[in-house]
Amino acid sequence: MVKQYGPEDCLLVIDVQNDFMPGGALAVAHGDEVVPVINRLAAAFAHVVLTQDWHPAGHVSFAANHAGTQPFQTVALPYGQQVLWPTHCVQGSHGAALHAGLDVPHAQMVIRKGHHRQVDSYSAFMEADRITRTGLGGYLRERGVRRVFCVGLATDYCVAWSALDARAAGFEAIVIEDACRAIDLGGSLARAWLDLEAAGAQRLQSAGLLY
Ligand code: VGL
Ligand code: ZN
């Protein structure tokens, strides 16, 4: 018997988009392997929320918009340090579309983030200026959600930041490790797990959730 998750639980499916897949503009190694795992999990959740990284072409997180820089270097911006990325998930592009194999017809909400030109947003809850909220926290609270199960791409950026902000917003947060893949830039993955543990987020495997 597969367990079922009810109205207090939400599966938060983060950035399962073409540009983060092998061959994409900001490819995450083995990123496509999360899709069948997430499809299995999603079938057990009544409540699923999707996110899409959704940048304007002139976005501040793109190295192409900073003369003399290269992708994956860090620069200082008014709100803090920012990694510069290859141009990715441009609004309306094929790269920004959800992976065609993602099978979550019952998802009820899609949060698009990173749409302000001057501010990045790894987190589904709050932008990188740490002031601007996406509205997801209020939505989940109004819907009676208490536990947020985080899956998708990438473990050490958008998944970790979302789980940390879920905790900060007063939700229980669970990261399902085998339903995520990481970028792992300069030790970012190990740091993310330490931060998650310190914040009281749980680290589980999908098999433990389903049976
Ligand atoms: C992401 C880097 C830049 C992610 C998004 O989804 O983890 N990482 N934009
Ligand atoms: Zn992005």
Side-chain angles (χ1 to χ4, degrees), residues 20 26 53 55 59 61-62 85 88-89 113 120-122 158:
F20 297 120
L26 177 39
D53 211 37
H55 302 306
H59 195 246
S61 77
F62 296 167
W85 302 105
H88 65 279
C89 296
K113 59 186 182 59
D120 205 0
S121 190
Y122 297 145
C158 292

